[in-house]
């Protein structure tokens, strides 16, 4: 698997995947999209529609709700604003590792690995960290198209109580809300690796902001345990995390290179935002959209 191309995953290859999604289904969604003047239909691609449709298991009504919420939240939440690889963003990518792993789980799920590289608490800027996470995930999907599912590993090595005290609750709530309801992917698992002694406090924060379905996806793994191996082959992880993949430094450089090579992707992605003044009065409201989950 290569993450180097500067063009997105080809549609003809996407339709060959075992998703069941057909060009006819996407054409139907495109026709609906043209009736929604507030949505940026001119820049929403067929791949965007495929990702949304796949995340909703081909349920057209749920797909429309998720598309509505996806672009609404991307317009409202601050960590979706001005997405570009500037000096501040590049510094964040040097302080924390955000690595799409090349190997898959036994079920074919994509695996995203994240951890701190710089353990200094004052260097954790939550807005920039979450902005970076979602930028890398969006670009990765652009390069690879749909996956059967996504597993996210947050390696908490070096994460201290002083880091937790820097978590802004509103930002955490918004991130989790987007992850649970509006990200265009079937989320299959969230794993807290090397969980510290205060992991229960982290879980209490999660429980405040997410539903029971998503909480069932969260698993904690204490340092020295082998419980993660029940879900993911640990050999696919970086060397310093107990795997046989590349080093943390090499993984960091890979991600930065991927982002630099695909800067133009975000020039276009930044245009995919809602124009509230054009929203029809009878448009599906957010409360209805929030009922749609993209998790198992």
């Amino acid at each position: 698997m290569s993450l180097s191309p500067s063009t997105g995953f080809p549609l003809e290859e996407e339709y060959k995947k075992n998703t069941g999604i057909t060009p006819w289904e996407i054409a139907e969604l495109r026709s609906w999209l043209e009736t929604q003047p507030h949505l940026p239909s001119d820049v929403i691609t067929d791949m965007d529609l495929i990702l949304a449709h796949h995340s909703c298991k081909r349920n057209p009504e749920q797909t429309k709700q998720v598309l509505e919420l996806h672009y609404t939240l991307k317009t409202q939440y601050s960590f979706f604003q001005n997405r570009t690889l500037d000096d501040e963003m590049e510094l964040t990518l040097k302080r924390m590792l955000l690595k799409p792993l090349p190997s898959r789980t036994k079920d074919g799920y994509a695996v995203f690995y994240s951890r701190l590289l710089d353990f200094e608490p004052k260097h954790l800027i939550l807005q920039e960290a979450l902005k970076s996470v979602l930028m890398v995930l969006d670009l990765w999907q652009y390069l690879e198209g749909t996956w059967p599912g996504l597993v996210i590993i947050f390696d908490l090595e070096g994460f201290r109580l002083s880091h937790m005290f820097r978590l802004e609750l509103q930002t955490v709530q918004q991130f989790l809300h987007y992850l649970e309801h509006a990200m265009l992917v079937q989320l299959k698992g969230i794993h807290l690796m090397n969980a510290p002694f205060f992991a229960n406090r982290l879980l209490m924060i999660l429980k405040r902001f997410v539903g029971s379905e998503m909480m069932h996806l969260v698993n904690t793994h204490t340092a020295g345990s082998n419980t993660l191996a029940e879900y993911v082959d640990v050999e696919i992880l970086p060397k310093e995390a107990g795997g046989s993949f590349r080093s943390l430094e090499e993984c960091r450089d890979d991600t930065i290179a991927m982002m630099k090579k695909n800067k133009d992707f975000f020039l276009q992605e930044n245009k995919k935002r809602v124009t509230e003044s054009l929203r029809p009065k009878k448009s599906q409201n957010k409360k209805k959209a929030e009922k749609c989950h993209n998790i198992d």
Side-chain angles (χ1 to χ4, degrees):
M1 179 192 68
S2 171
L3 294 178
S4 60
S6 56
T7 56
F9 193 77
L11 278 177
E12 59 271 20
E13 294 301 315
E14 179 60 47
Y15 282 122
K16 292 178 184 178
K17 294 181 181 179
N18 188 29
T19 63
I21 296 175
T22 66
W24 179 83
E25 290 175 297
I26 300 308
E28 287 288 300
L29 288 171
R30 175 67 64 186
S31 295
W32 166 81
L33 188 62
E34 297 297 335
T35 69
Q36 307 298 310
H38 60 300
L39 294 178
S41 60
D42 57 328
V43 289
I44 293 176
T45 67
D46 282 359
M47 181 60 76
D48 294 325
L49 298 179
I50 290 172
L51 292 172
H53 203 38
H54 182 259
S55 74
C56 293
K57 301 179 181 179
R58 299 176 60 202
N59 182 312
E61 293 308 310
Q62 285 190 352
T63 300
K64 293 170 187 177
Q65 293 171 24
V66 163
L67 284 166
E68 175 81 32
L69 187 61
H70 176 82
Y71 292 109
T72 296
L73 296 187
K74 278 194 167 184
T75 305
Q76 294 176 348
Y77 289 173
S78 59
F79 43 73
F80 287 114
Q81 307 307 309
N82 302 316
R83 303 173 97 194
T84 182
L85 188 64
D86 53 19
D87 291 343
E88 190 172 17
M89 179 64 60
E90 188 165 349
L91 180 59
T92 300
L93 293 175
K94 290 178 178 177
R95 288 175 170 172
M96 61 185 298
L97 176 61
L98 307 173
K99 180 58 180 170
L101 297 178
S103 299
R104 300 291 187 253
T105 70
K106 63 181 180 180
D107 295 312
Y109 304 153
V111 182
F112 182 77
Y113 175 82
S114 175
R115 60 167 287 153
L116 294 174
L117 297 175
D118 182 341
F119 295 160
E120 174 54 55
K122 68 180 181 181
H123 289 164
L124 175 61
I125 312 299
L126 189 63
Q127 280 275 355
E128 288 300 312
L130 298 183
K131 181 177 181 178
S132 300
V133 167
L134 294 172
M135 284 178 69
V136 173
L137 282 171
D138 275 0
L139 176 57
W140 190 22
Q141 282 193 295
Y142 167 74
L143 296 174
E144 294 203 346
T146 60
W147 308 301
L150 173 67
V151 172
I152 299 176
I153 299 174
F154 291 111
D155 188 341
L156 299 180
E157 182 179 358
F159 192 87
R160 311 168 192 163
L161 269 173
S162 45
H163 286 105
M164 194 174 78
F165 294 145
R166 293 182 63 81
L167 301 181
E168 302 147 8
L169 291 185
Q170 182 181 26
T171 302
V172 171
Q173 181 181 20
Q174 290 178 347
F175 176 74
L176 293 174
H177 182 69
Y178 175 79
L179 208 65
E180 182 176 12
H181 296 288
M183 191 167 68
L184 306 183
V185 70
Q186 292 183 29
L187 190 59
K188 300 293 185 177
I190 298 175
H191 298 276
L192 306 181
M193 181 181 174
N194 291 315
F197 69 92
F198 54 88
N200 285 339
R201 298 189 189 183
L202 287 173
L203 292 178
M204 288 177 63
I205 293 175
L206 292 178
K207 288 179 180 178
R208 289 178 58 183
F209 301 132
V210 302
S212 59
E213 291 181 56
M214 187 168 180
M215 281 306 303
H216 287 318
L217 299 180
V218 180
N219 297 276
T220 58
H221 312 277
T222 57
S225 71
N226 59 2
T227 53
L228 181 62
E230 299 174 16
Y231 305 90
V232 176
D233 181 1
V234 296
E235 287 298 307
I236 73 175
L237 300 178
K239 294 176 181 177
E240 294 89 334
S244 58
F245 187 48
R246 310 183 76 182
S247 69
L248 295 178
E249 183 177 345
E250 290 172 320
C251 290
R252 176 203 64 196
D253 293 344
D254 285 348
T255 298
I256 293 174
M258 179 184 76
M259 297 291 282
K260 286 184 175 180
K261 188 173 183 65
N262 294 279
K263 279 185 176 182
D264 288 349
F265 166 74
F266 293 103
L267 294 177
Q268 194 72 357
E269 200 285 325
N270 284 328
K271 300 176 183 178
K272 298 177 183 179
R273 302 295 182 266
V274 169
T275 304
E276 285 295 341
S277 61
L278 299 177
R279 186 188 292 271
K281 292 182 179 180
K282 294 184 179 180
S283 176
Q284 297 170 15
N285 60 46
K286 285 184 286 184
K287 288 185 178 179
K288 182 178 179 181
E290 286 170 5
K291 294 180 182 178
C292 184
H293 295 261
N294 56 358
I295 60 177
D296 283 341

